[in-house]
Coordinates of all heavy atoms in Angstrom, one line a residue:
Chain F
V19 N 117.1 143.8 123.7 CA 117.6 144.5 124.9 C 119.1 144.7 124.7 O 119.8 143.7 124.4 CB 117.3 143.8 126.2 CG1 117.9 144.6 127.4 CG2 115.8 143.7 126.4
S20 N 119.6 145.8 125.0 CA 121.0 146.1 125.0 C 121.5 146.6 126.4 O 121.0 147.6 126.8 CB 121.4 147.1 123.9 OG 122.8 147.5 124.0
C23 N 128.3 148.0 129.8 CA 129.2 148.4 130.9 C 130.5 148.9 130.2 O 130.8 148.6 129.1 CB 129.6 147.1 131.7 SG 128.3 146.5 132.8
Y25 N 134.7 149.5 131.3 CA 135.8 149.2 132.3 C 137.0 150.1 132.1 O 137.2 150.7 131.0 CB 136.1 147.7 132.2 CG 136.7 147.3 130.9 CD1 138.1 147.2 130.7 CD2 135.9 146.9 129.9 CE1 138.6 146.8 129.5 CE2 136.4 146.4 128.7 CZ 137.8 146.4 128.5 OH 138.3 146.0 127.3
S26 N 137.8 150.1 133.1 CA 138.9 151.1 133.1 C 140.3 150.5 132.8 O 141.2 151.2 132.3 CB 138.9 151.9 134.4 OG 139.0 151.1 135.5
A29 N 144.1 145.7 131.1 CA 144.6 144.3 131.4 C 143.6 143.3 131.6 O 143.9 142.1 131.6 CB 145.5 144.4 132.6
F30 N 142.3 143.7 131.7 CA 141.3 142.7 132.0 C 141.1 141.8 130.7 O 141.2 142.2 129.6 CB 139.9 143.3 132.2 CG 139.9 144.2 133.5 CD1 139.0 145.2 133.6 CD2 140.9 144.1 134.4 CE1 138.9 146.0 134.7 CE2 140.9 144.9 135.5 CZ 139.9 145.9 135.7
R37 N 123.2 137.1 136.1 CA 121.7 137.5 136.2 C 121.3 137.2 137.6 O 121.6 136.2 138.2 CB 120.9 136.7 135.2 CG 119.4 136.9 135.2 CD 118.7 136.1 134.1 NE 118.9 134.7 134.3 CZ 118.6 133.8 133.3 NH1 118.2 134.2 132.1 NH2 118.8 132.5 133.6
K42 N 117.4 136.3 145.1 CA 118.3 135.2 144.8 C 119.7 135.7 144.7 O 120.0 136.9 144.6 CB 117.8 134.6 143.5 CG 116.4 134.1 143.4 CD 116.3 132.8 144.2 CE 114.9 132.2 144.1 NZ 114.7 131.0 144.9
L46 N 125.7 132.9 136.9 CA 126.5 133.2 135.7 C 125.6 132.9 134.5 O 125.1 131.9 134.3 CB 127.7 132.3 135.6 CG 128.6 132.6 134.4 CD1 129.2 134.0 134.5 CD2 129.8 131.5 134.4
S52 N 138.6 138.3 126.2 CA 139.3 139.3 125.3 C 138.2 140.0 124.5 O 137.2 140.5 125.0 CB 140.3 138.6 124.5 OG 141.1 139.5 123.9
V65 N 132.6 142.1 123.6 CA 133.6 142.9 124.2 C 134.3 143.7 123.2 O 134.7 143.1 122.1 CB 134.6 142.0 125.0 CG1 135.7 142.9 125.6 CG2 133.9 141.2 126.1
S73 N 129.1 144.5 126.3 CA 127.6 144.6 126.0 C 127.0 143.2 126.1 O 127.6 142.2 125.9 CB 127.4 145.1 124.6 OG 127.9 146.4 124.5
R77 N 117.8 138.9 122.6 CA 116.8 138.9 121.5 C 115.5 138.3 122.0 O 115.5 137.5 122.8 CB 117.4 138.1 120.3 CG 118.6 138.8 119.6 CD 119.0 137.9 118.4 NE 119.4 136.6 118.8 CZ 120.5 136.2 119.3 NH1 121.5 137.2 119.5 NH2 120.8 135.0 119.6
P81 N 109.2 137.9 129.5 CA 109.0 138.3 130.9 C 109.9 137.6 131.8 O 110.3 138.2 132.9 CB 107.5 138.0 131.1 CG 106.9 138.1 129.7 CD 107.9 137.6 128.8
Y87 N 120.8 142.5 135.8 CA 122.0 142.0 135.0 C 123.2 142.7 135.5 O 123.3 143.9 135.5 CB 121.7 142.1 133.5 CG 120.6 141.2 133.1 CD1 119.3 141.6 133.2 CD2 120.9 140.0 132.5 CE1 118.3 140.7 132.8 CE2 119.9 139.1 132.1 CZ 118.6 139.5 132.2 OH 117.6 138.6 131.9
L88 N 124.2 141.9 135.9 CA 125.4 142.4 136.4 C 126.6 142.1 135.5 O 126.8 140.9 135.2 CB 125.7 141.9 137.8 CG 124.6 142.0 138.9 CD1 124.4 140.8 139.7 CD2 125.0 143.2 139.8
G105 N 124.8 146.8 138.3 CA 123.7 146.0 137.8 C 122.7 146.9 137.2 O 122.4 148.0 137.6
S109 N 113.0 145.1 133.2 CA 111.7 144.6 133.3 C 111.2 144.4 131.8 O 111.2 145.3 131.0 CB 110.7 145.6 134.0 OG 111.1 145.7 135.3
V110 N 110.7 143.2 131.5 CA 110.1 142.9 130.2 C 108.6 142.8 130.4 O 108.1 141.9 131.1 CB 110.7 141.6 129.6 CG1 110.1 141.3 128.3 CG2 112.2 141.7 129.5

Side-chain angles (χ1 to χ4, degrees):
Chain F
V19 177
S20 173
C23 289
Y25 62 94
S26 57
F30 300 161
R37 178 174 61 194
K42 302 287 186 182
L46 181 66
S52 194
V65 178
S73 300
R77 292 182 298 281
Y87 290 81
L88 304 137
S109 296
V110 180

